[in-house]
Amino acid sequence: MDNCIFCKIVAKQIPASVVYEDDDLLAFKDINPAAPVHLLVIPKQHVATLSDCTEEHTAMLGKMLALAPKLAAEHGINVKTGADGQRSGGFKTLINSGPDGGQEVYHLHLHVYGGARPWRGLGT
Ligand code: 5GP
Ligand code: ZN
């Protein structure tokens, strides 16, 4: 898609700090992180917004979400369970959709946030 910044990242026309790539997905660091770890997971194929997704996108959406815990583990923000059963760590996943959803870049992306708090503008 012309003039889509994330398509240009997929095409390596503009640089990004890529943390994962396969045939279908790309994940990279957000340029303006709101948390110590702030990653974006995108489909390589241009889809503007979650609002455009239907059942035919189920596999791709599943892959995007399933990648989040793998990336979280690689970046030390996965949920950990101590010997006493207490959980620590963890991360937040978010997809903004449309103007009312706070979407700024119209190429579908899943945010993955984690690390020491506070996180900018993300509440609890
Ligand atoms: P949205 O508000 O659309 O859910 O989030 C868009 C995100 O993309 C923002 O967190 C913003 O910092 C990030 N972003 C925008 N342009 C670029 C870019 O050129 N490179 C990278 N790595 N992130 C970007
Ligand atoms: Zn795009």
Side-chain angles (χ1 to χ4, degrees), residues 73-121:
E74 288 172 0
H75 290 80
I77 58 168
N78 51 317
V79 180
K80 299 155 188 89
T81 306
D84 58 359
Q86 287 288 320
R87 291 190 181 90
S88 62
F91 56 95
K92 183 188 289 287
T93 49
L94 178 68
I95 298 176
N96 294 321
S97 303
D100 285 356
Q103 185 173 6
E104 292 177 356
V105 175
Y106 279 84
H107 181 129
L108 177 66
H109 51 281
L110 173 71
H111 294 262
V112 181
Y113 307 93
R117 289 200 176 248
W119 301 345
R120 178 165 46 82

Side-chain angles (χ1 to χ4, degrees), residues 10-61:
V10 170
K12 311 282 198 252
Q13 289 168 359
I14 64 169
S17 185
V18 172
V19 297
Y20 178 85
E21 180 167 14
D22 66 21
D23 288 346
D24 302 315
L25 304 181
L26 190 73
F28 52 91
K29 294 182 180 175
D30 195 291
I31 204 167
N32 184 23
V37 177
H38 185 175
L39 308 174
L40 301 172
V41 178
I42 68 169
K44 285 187 166 177
Q45 181 187 7
H46 182 86
V47 177
T49 178
L50 186 62
S51 219
D52 290 344
C53 290
T54 63
E55 285 77 6
E56 75 184 58
H57 298 96
T58 300
M60 177 267 286
L61 292 168

